[in-house]
Amino acid sequence: MAISLQKGQKISLEKSNGSNLEQICVGVNWGAIEKKGLFGGKKKVAVDLDASCIVFDANNEVIDTVYFGKLATQGIKHSGDDRTGDLDGDDGLDNEIITLNLNGLDSKAHQIVFVLNSYSGHDFKTIPFASIRLYEGTPTRVNNVYATYDVTNDPQFSGALSMVLGKFYLHNKNWKFSAIGEPTKDSKLPGMIETVKRHYL
């Protein structure tokens, strides 16, 4: 049973058999906004959310960033930019997925922070079924969902255009996950990186 992530919550990346997860996906799902047209009809307004992650070393210096402009680095792969959201209702699939191979990361990687921003400038509260999930599997196969964020229905994200989801971090040579779940006032990724460096490492 997946847990609903709460701010400050720590999640073990250990499987039920006691072994550690090797590959985990962070998926973001959302829909286009439906608005009334001029003559009583309905029209879809595209929503562009961007999932990104920043890799830091033990000195809190940036090693690399994975986002729509750079889809891969050592041990991390982004599925690609989705600029519209689901146009015909929730299809149950994630629109953007970042996959981590925890055994294939840069040896200097110490923390990996995940962020989400509304590139099209839409308030998270107005975006249909915007949600985030952490799961074991691949971009095309979900084996086991560990945790979820319901972004649309969480009042703390009302009015926000960006958020720091959480971070994977090394502890005693094992990777852990800490939920941050904080809205930020940044509109673009460079500002979010600076916010993360100041407040969340």
Side-chain angles (χ1 to χ4, degrees):
M1 176 73 76
I3 62 172
S4 179
L5 282 173
Q6 303 295 323
K7 190 182 302 183
Q9 192 169 11
K10 303 289 194 295
I11 297 175
S12 169
L13 300 181
E14 190 176 89
K15 297 184 183 182
S16 56
N17 63 7
S19 64
N20 289 322
L21 271 175
E22 295 180 1
Q23 183 163 292
I24 192 163
C25 296
V26 178
V28 184
N29 185 34
W30 73 92
I33 295 172
E34 189 174 272
K35 290 191 174 180
K36 290 182 180 179
L38 290 175
F39 303 103
K42 295 179 179 179
K43 65 176 183 177
K44 296 286 187 178
V45 178
V47 175
D48 185 358
L49 296 186
D50 288 328
S52 311
C53 69
I54 311 111
V55 185
F56 294 91
D57 64 17
N59 297 314
N60 295 341
E61 295 299 325
V62 176
I63 296 174
D64 213 339
T65 305
V66 174
Y67 67 111
F68 66 85
K70 182 179 181 182
L71 297 178
T73 190
Q74 192 171 336
I76 306 174
K77 188 172 183 180
H78 194 300
S79 62
D81 193 14
D82 186 313
R83 299 178 181 177
T84 62
D86 293 343
L87 295 173
D88 298 311
D90 188 0
D91 60 7
L93 303 175
D94 294 319
N95 298 74
E96 293 191 11
I97 303 162
I98 298 178
T99 305
L100 274 73
N101 178 352
L102 296 173
N103 291 332
L105 296 169
D106 188 311
S107 61
K108 297 189 294 295
H110 191 75
Q111 297 187 76
I112 304 167
V113 182
F114 279 76
V115 298
L116 180 69
N117 70 289
S118 177
Y119 191 85
S120 53
H122 294 98
D123 174 349
F124 284 141
K125 186 174 178 60
T126 68
I127 302 171
F129 54 85
S131 61
I132 302 165
R133 60 180 176 176
L134 277 65
Y135 67 89
E136 180 187 13
T138 70
T140 58
R141 186 186 73 252
V142 177
N143 294 345
N144 185 30
V145 178
Y146 281 81
T148 62
Y149 264 119
D150 183 353
V151 178
T152 297
N153 295 315
D154 190 328
Q156 72 169 325
F157 299 125
S158 178
L161 301 179
S162 59
M163 66 175 286
V164 181
L165 163 63
K167 63 181 180 181
F168 292 86
Y169 63 98
L170 269 180
H171 179 70
N172 293 333
K173 298 184 179 180
N174 288 319
W175 285 98
K176 311 281 187 182
F177 180 81
S178 175
I180 296 172
E182 289 273 5
T184 82
K185 295 182 179 180
D186 307 293
S187 59
K188 297 292 185 285
L189 184 57
M192 296 192 75
I193 293 173
E194 292 306 310
T195 296
V196 167
K197 290 178 73 172
R198 285 196 304 269
H199 301 293
Y200 299 111
L201 298 180

